[in-house]
Amino acid sequence: MSNEKSQPSYTRLDPWYNIYADRALGMKQSEIRQLFAVANRPEVVSLAGGMPNISGLPLDFLADMTARLIKDHGPQILQYGGGAGYLPLREMITEVMRPEGIKGHPDDITITTGSQQALDLISEIFINPGDIVLTEAPSYVGALGTFHSYQANVVHVALDKDGLIPEALEETIISLENEGRPIKFLYTVPNFHNPAGVSLSSERRHKIIDICERHHILIVEDNPYGLLGFDGDPTPAMQPLNPNGVVYLGSFSKTFAPGYRLGWALAPSAVSARITLANENAILCPSTFGQMSVAEYLSTYDWYQQVKEYRSMYAERGQAMQHALSTYMSSCSWNVPNGGFYVWVKLPEGLNSHTMLPRAIKNCVAYVSGTAFYTDGNGADHVRLSYCYPTPEDITEGVRRLGEVISAEEELVNMFGIANN
């Protein structure tokens, strides 16, 4: 018998394919990332990405601030830090959350590389392969990708114009319990939902907290848009209703600048300790440079006034989107968001947003197909349109171009009785 060890096959494009972990083989690029190459072409109006418009940031102030930090605190700002994050920043984050009614303690906050990393850490410490995670239908594509990478089974729960439907949630929970399938947590975006644009009503927040408390289900409240309502004070968060049953995720990407890549998780103390440990195992510590920079910005600049300016800008763009939809896409239906970045548009009967996308790109407009926001194959009857980054003029032109594509698709459906696939 030969003592030769079997060697990996080099006939594959990737000679290491046969040694990857199962979870690596299950990873896939999101539909949004796949769009970047074409959506960023100058002739294409992109209504696809969720990039914040940071043109109004005080760049001269930030340049001077950064130079001063390096000059005065260079040995500290360029050094390693702690796994939980820079304490002065964690203390300031408690103030950032206060307008939403949150009374968090700095010791229960972990600084992460954007709230996306917080999602990864939570998935790491809670999800075993095959575990159930509940999400809204539709749900944030970045969260779905993370849950998928940890081999979770995502179960969608319906939402409507007032957010996640409590009755549907409890019905789903009871059904899963009867099947003997334990639920790890509920993931929800309660304010200016991505992609649906809706916000969870106050009455439903209390009901959902009560349902999850009775069934002993942790809630992961992802709230990057909470301060970006078009008018009025921020809606109180879910976390104060049950601090021991909610992990709250926040981010500076939407209210300051995504380039710093800083977010945070506020969690019950025992959960927070595990998130910090997982953070240390993953990255040793968050960027000290980024953390001290954001802390200096928050302490020396009127950051909340900057948020108000963002709100006004996004409100103007949201109005431009609504006007353009009414003018050029009247055969569709959509929500009217009162904050955030997105409109969730239902296409006319028979149209498929996924198969229609190449025709839209050919007509120099990009969107995200609704299929990106489901794990069960649904969503082809919707598109997500983003109004955060384009100018009002580009929004109008992009919707006009998309309206042309939709009209052409409708004609084909009417002629042949089937969608043009």
Side-chain angles (χ1 to χ4, degrees):
M1 181 181 290
S2 172
N3 290 325
E4 265 185 55
K5 293 181 180 178
S6 62
Q7 298 296 317
S9 169
Y10 288 90
T11 61
R12 300 180 184 274
L13 292 175
D14 180 357
W16 305 109
Y17 180 88
N18 58 350
I19 67 169
Y20 288 128
D22 290 344
R23 61 180 173 274
L25 295 175
M27 291 179 179
K28 59 182 181 180
Q29 190 177 42
S30 77
E31 293 188 31
I32 296 176
R33 296 292 171 185
Q34 292 172 355
L35 273 174
F36 271 15
V38 292
N40 288 334
R41 295 191 334 231
E43 70 272 20
V44 175
V45 175
S46 177
L47 304 176
M51 293 189 303
N53 191 311
I54 58 174
S55 59
L57 280 177
L59 297 182
D60 289 342
F61 172 85
L62 294 176
D64 293 341
M65 180 195 80
T66 303
R68 185 174 66 252
L69 278 172
I70 294 175
K71 180 181 178 181
D72 296 343
H73 304 284
Q76 181 185 6
I77 199 172
L78 299 176
Q79 190 52 273
Y80 288 115
Y86 183 52
L87 179 58
L89 178 58
R90 287 187 281 134
E91 291 172 339
M92 290 176 189
I93 285 172
T94 64
E95 296 303 313
V96 171
M97 296 186 294
R98 198 171 294 278
E100 296 173 298
I102 298 174
K103 299 177 181 178
H105 193 282
D107 290 349
D108 294 330
I109 293 172
T110 304
I111 306 296
T112 58
T113 306
S115 58
Q116 185 68 33
Q117 193 214 359
L119 273 174
D120 187 86
L121 298 175
I122 290 166
S123 299
E124 178 185 350
I125 67 175
F126 282 109
I127 296 174
N128 291 315
D131 283 345
I132 301 293
V133 173
L134 300 178
T135 76
E136 292 126 337
S139 190
Y140 167 50
V141 63
L144 297 180
T146 297
F147 303 151
H148 182 75
S149 72
Y150 283 94
Q151 298 169 284
N153 284 327
V154 172
V155 176
H156 288 299
V157 182
L159 57 69
D160 61 18
K161 63 181 180 61
D162 294 315
L164 185 65
I165 302 172
E167 294 76 15
L169 174 64
E170 186 147 39
E171 181 180 334
T172 300
I173 292 171
I174 291 172
S175 176
L176 291 167
E177 288 176 342
N178 289 340
E179 294 172 9
R181 303 171 68 190
I183 300 164
K184 284 301 176 78
F185 54 81
L186 165 67
Y187 170 77
T188 181
V189 183
N191 294 318
F192 318 124
H193 185 272
N194 178 6
V198 300
S199 292
L200 187 62
S201 68
S202 177
E203 179 184 3
R204 288 189 178 183
R205 290 171 194 247
H206 287 82
K207 287 183 177 180
I208 288 168
I209 288 286
D210 176 66
I211 289 168
C212 289
E213 195 170 9
R214 284 191 284 106
H215 291 273
H216 194 60
I217 295 173
L218 183 70
I219 296 174
V220 177
E221 178 183 10
D222 195 359
N223 193 32
Y225 311 100
L227 298 181
L228 296 177
F230 295 156
D231 48 49
D233 295 328
T235 302
M238 299 175 73
Q239 191 271 352
L241 300 176
N242 185 14
N244 290 321
V246 177
V247 177
Y248 176 95
L249 308 184
S251 174
F252 290 109
S253 293
K254 307 301 189 293
T255 56
F256 181 24
Y260 285 103
R261 300 308 302 129
L262 285 179
W264 69 91
L266 169 67
S269 295
V271 176
S272 181
R274 293 186 183 274
I275 293 174
T276 296
L277 180 59
N279 204 29
E280 291 172 343
N281 290 339
I283 61 170
L284 296 182
C285 65
S287 162
T288 305
F289 190 99
Q291 291 180 91
M292 290 185 68
S293 297
V294 174
E296 184 74 5
Y297 168 77
L298 293 173
S299 63
T300 59
Y301 194 79
D302 190 349
W303 66 271
Y304 200 67
Q305 179 59 38
Q306 180 67 57
V307 169
K308 290 180 179 178
E309 292 175 11
Y310 278 150
R311 288 164 56 180
S312 177
M313 176 181 61
Y314 294 138
E316 179 187 17
R317 282 161 164 73
Q319 290 171 0
M321 175 65 77
Q322 294 296 323
H323 179 73
L325 289 171
S326 298
T327 303
Y328 299 111
M329 288 172 49
S330 58
S331 63
C332 300
S333 59
W334 57 88
N335 62 300
V336 181
N338 57 0
F341 287 5
Y342 308 108
V343 176
W344 187 235
V345 179
K346 190 176 190 310
L347 298 175
E349 187 71 25
L351 271 61
N352 184 310
S353 61
H354 185 73
T355 57
M356 187 177 75
L357 184 55
R359 270 90 73 182
I361 296 296
K362 186 176 180 180
N363 206 39
C364 293
V365 60
Y367 61 81
V368 182
S369 167
T371 54
F373 306 99
Y374 291 83
T375 62
D376 56 10
N378 286 318
D381 58 344
H382 278 81
V383 300
R384 189 195 76 176
L385 302 182
S386 171
Y387 50 79
C388 51
Y389 190 78
T391 63
E393 293 76 20
D394 281 345
I395 290 169
T396 300
E397 177 59 18
V399 172
R400 187 193 67 79
R401 295 176 186 179
L402 181 55
E404 290 179 343
V405 176
I406 290 173
S407 295
E409 295 287 298
E410 285 186 279
E411 287 183 15
L412 287 171
V413 170
N414 291 334
M415 286 174 61
F416 300 106
I418 57 172
N420 181 17
N421 294 322

